[in-house]
Amino acid sequence: TNAFDLDLYRSLSLAYGELERNRDLRCGVLFAHGAHFTGGIDLPQWAPRFAEGKFIEPAEGGMDPLALDENRTVSKPIVMAVQGWCLTIGLELLLATDIRVAADNTRFAQIEPKRGIYAIGGATVRLHQEIGWGNAMRYLLTSDEISASEALRLGLVQEVVPAGTQLARATDIANTIAAQAPLAVQATLRSARIARTLGAPAAIARLAPDMVPLLNSEDAKEGVQSFIERREGKFQGR
């Protein structure tokens, strides 16, 4: 069931690091091979670190896939495709992404209370932001599973598609994002994140100042020109 071990976590952090640094990469797609996204963490590997009161550090040069460290969170959007079991860290990775596509056979759950521990990868912070307090507690405190259809109803995922097509659909969405002006996409994502973490006043205070560099960018000029010429913009991220 794709147990999530320490090597996988560090490899994923390196992939996120490449996404962040490579100017040619504009949007990421997170997915898993096989019938299941993940059955959860390989607890015997992770438990000794947890016992020290510490989380697992991303690899050198990597970014934080769970977006718990603001200084090591990817500034570009990530679309997630998920199928089969998506337990514990799988659901927390999903909560750290921006748009989610689930196969119709997906089952989510935070089952940490069944194992005598609790979720420390972001679920207690983010799940109630996504689906409301009562709905979040309903699943965080019971370890019950969330079906794909229920996840869609709650807004946890944005689309449910036939199993086997989730990666193609997520890639389509990512390609649409990548066709937009990269600096504008990142500014949009940054503004929304500020509002979510620091509140509306903090985000509002940044709206006008953060528009200035965009207006002075080559992409903004291309955006105007493409509008005048009635064609799709060709953006370079500059």
Side-chain angles (χ1 to χ4, degrees), residues 30-64:
L30 176 60
F31 72 100
H33 296 283
H36 302 281
F37 187 84
T38 182
I41 61 172
D42 187 332
L43 189 54
Q45 286 194 14
W46 292 69
R49 189 69 170 173
F50 292 162
E52 298 174 357
K54 301 175 182 177
F55 204 76
I56 309 301
E57 287 291 320
E60 185 69 27
M63 302 294 280
D64 179 5

Side-chain angles (χ1 to χ4, degrees), residues 95 122-138 140 154 156 196:
L95 290 168
T124 59
V125 177
R126 296 183 176 130
L127 188 58
H128 65 83
Q129 294 176 330
E130 295 280 349
I131 67 174
W133 181 267
N135 289 327
M137 294 307 109
R138 160 74 175 81
L140 287 175
L154 292 169
L156 185 60
R196 188 176 195 179

